[in-house]
Amino acid sequence: MNRTAVRLGVLLLAGAAVAVVLLALLTPFSSGGSPRGPELSPFTPGQSSVHVNRLSERDHELTIRSAALGREGMVRVLLPGGWRPGSGPWPVLYLLNGCCQSEYDAWTTQGEAARITSAYPVIVVIPEAGQVGFYSDWRDGPGWETFHLTEVRRVLERDYGAGDRRAVAGLSMGGLGAMTYAARHPGMFQAAASFSGVLNTRDGNNGVDWLLDQYGEDSTDLWGGHGDPAWASHNPADLTGGLRGVRLFVSCGDGAPGPLDTFGIAPDQGEASLLRQALTFTHRAEASGARVVTDFYGPGTHSWPYWRRSLERALPILMDSIGASA
């Protein structure tokens, strides 16, 4: 239900019958029962207001009024078989999007996440992250890290029975998000995976400045100038010491056209650059004592067929780490 429509309804309508209807529509999802349509949890200071659009019994789209973003943020939630209101605690898998995607939930529309994860008893969370948000609280801009790991997490725990066993995986920019979230928040994630990830932002060819410029953003609004310590504190290759005890999976192609590519496609220099970053990250992680499973599969471009395959290959490791094996 549109919040403006609700307010107008309250102003224009009167009578006990209308009050009863409005009360039913505003009942929180976590309070029990099984409302048939979307519902809006009442806003409480310090909590997030949530609108739930049930795309199917186990596929929910959340609109969360976010203080961290200064606006509403979107989240797709895929529920496991056997889930019901009040059940849990459930293990959680965050799937993080890459940059420049027109769809915040591309993991469902292009990545086949619902199919690939369907056998596992896990809540799958696909949050909006901005086209070039880089999974950070910007110095001058949105707070993506706070939105994902505080606001979204609390909604999942409050309304869906999410527990404290978590894994995180992401592609491209989302690979950076997966590794930085796991390293910057010790104990929050038991496993993390990167697929063609941006894993060394202080590499000379990292592309961060170029991408931000393409979207009219200034990198100093993100992490400050290049000499600022915030660059290192958000760079996976500089954070590997914080990943001891986290099971890691890293995959990447070498940019040459591979078996899942369209015939005649040109080599992908961007993927080749990301492979160099992945190798640097992996060597540092292993030297720091982290457990890393790698899948450097040779020919393959920066594209969805390889990321879908990587998710399928990584899932047994991720799910075993959080007690959600099929």
Side-chain angles (χ1 to χ4, degrees):
M1 173 177 287
N2 183 277
R3 292 186 61 83
T4 301
V6 172
R7 295 191 185 98
L8 289 174
V10 172
L11 292 172
L12 297 176
L13 300 174
V18 172
V20 170
V21 171
L22 288 174
L23 180 61
L25 288 172
L26 292 170
T27 299
F29 183 68
S30 60
S31 64
S34 180
R36 294 183 179 179
E39 57 281 323
L40 186 67
S41 299
F43 181 74
T44 301
Q47 292 185 337
S48 298
S49 177
V50 185
H51 179 279
V52 182
N53 180 22
R54 297 186 176 196
L55 303 176
S56 72
E57 181 181 359
R58 294 203 292 268
D59 185 354
H60 294 185
E61 183 177 62
L62 312 186
T63 304
I64 300 176
R65 189 167 70 184
S66 165
L69 300 182
R71 61 169 176 81
E72 293 179 335
M74 304 297 295
V75 182
R76 194 80 172 264
V77 177
L78 305 177
L79 299 170
W83 181 92
R84 65 184 185 282
S87 63
W90 292 92
V92 178
L93 170 64
Y94 279 77
L95 287 181
L96 305 182
N97 206 8
C99 83
C100 321
Q101 301 278 343
S102 59
E103 300 171 307
Y104 84 90
D105 54 353
W107 267 115
T108 59
T109 60
Q110 300 183 62
E112 300 181 21
R115 174 188 64 80
I116 294 171
T117 64
S118 62
Y120 296 92
V122 63
I123 295 174
V124 180
V125 185
I126 303 166
E128 177 187 359
Q131 291 189 312
V132 285
F134 282 98
Y135 295 91
S136 302
D137 287 352
W138 285 48
R139 292 190 169 186
D140 183 8
W144 293 111
E145 189 170 9
T146 297
F147 175 60
H148 295 151
L149 302 187
T150 300
E151 294 178 337
V152 172
R153 176 180 58 80
R154 288 174 177 170
V155 169
L156 296 172
E157 293 169 353
R158 184 188 72 196
D159 294 352
Y160 289 95
D164 61 2
R165 303 292 294 177
R166 307 178 191 92
V168 58
L171 66 93
S172 194
M173 181 181 75
L176 175 147
M179 295 304 176
T180 59
Y181 281 2
R184 287 169 56 83
H185 299 269
M188 181 172 286
F189 295 97
Q190 286 70 54
S194 167
F195 315 137
S196 303
V198 180
L199 297 180
N200 188 9
T201 62
R202 299 205 294 163
D203 177 90
N205 298 314
N206 67 77
V208 174
D209 291 290
W210 183 84
L211 283 171
L212 290 168
D213 183 66
Q214 297 304 299
Y215 284 85
E217 302 287 358
D218 187 335
S219 64
T220 60
D221 292 336
L222 173 59
W223 298 319
H226 280 275
D228 194 289
W231 278 81
S233 68
H234 291 85
N235 180 27
D238 285 314
L239 297 174
T240 56
L243 294 169
R244 287 188 295 269
V246 180
R247 293 186 66 180
L248 305 178
F249 179 95
V250 179
S251 68
C252 196
D254 65 12
L260 304 182
D261 287 301
T262 303
F263 179 76
I265 193 171
D268 187 338
Q269 296 303 317
E271 184 77 355
S273 176
L274 292 173
L275 177 59
R276 291 192 294 272
Q277 294 186 32
L279 290 168
T280 297
F281 170 84
T282 298
H283 292 156
R284 292 186 186 181
E286 291 175 338
S288 297
R291 294 180 295 169
V292 190
V293 174
T294 60
D295 182 19
F296 299 141
Y297 43 82
T301 59
H302 202 68
S303 58
W304 275 107
Y306 296 99
W307 302 329
R308 287 192 292 266
R309 188 180 69 180
S310 289
L311 177 59
E312 291 177 323
R313 291 177 174 178
L315 269 179
I317 295 170
L318 300 176
M319 296 298 96
D320 179 68
S321 300
I322 57 176
S325 297

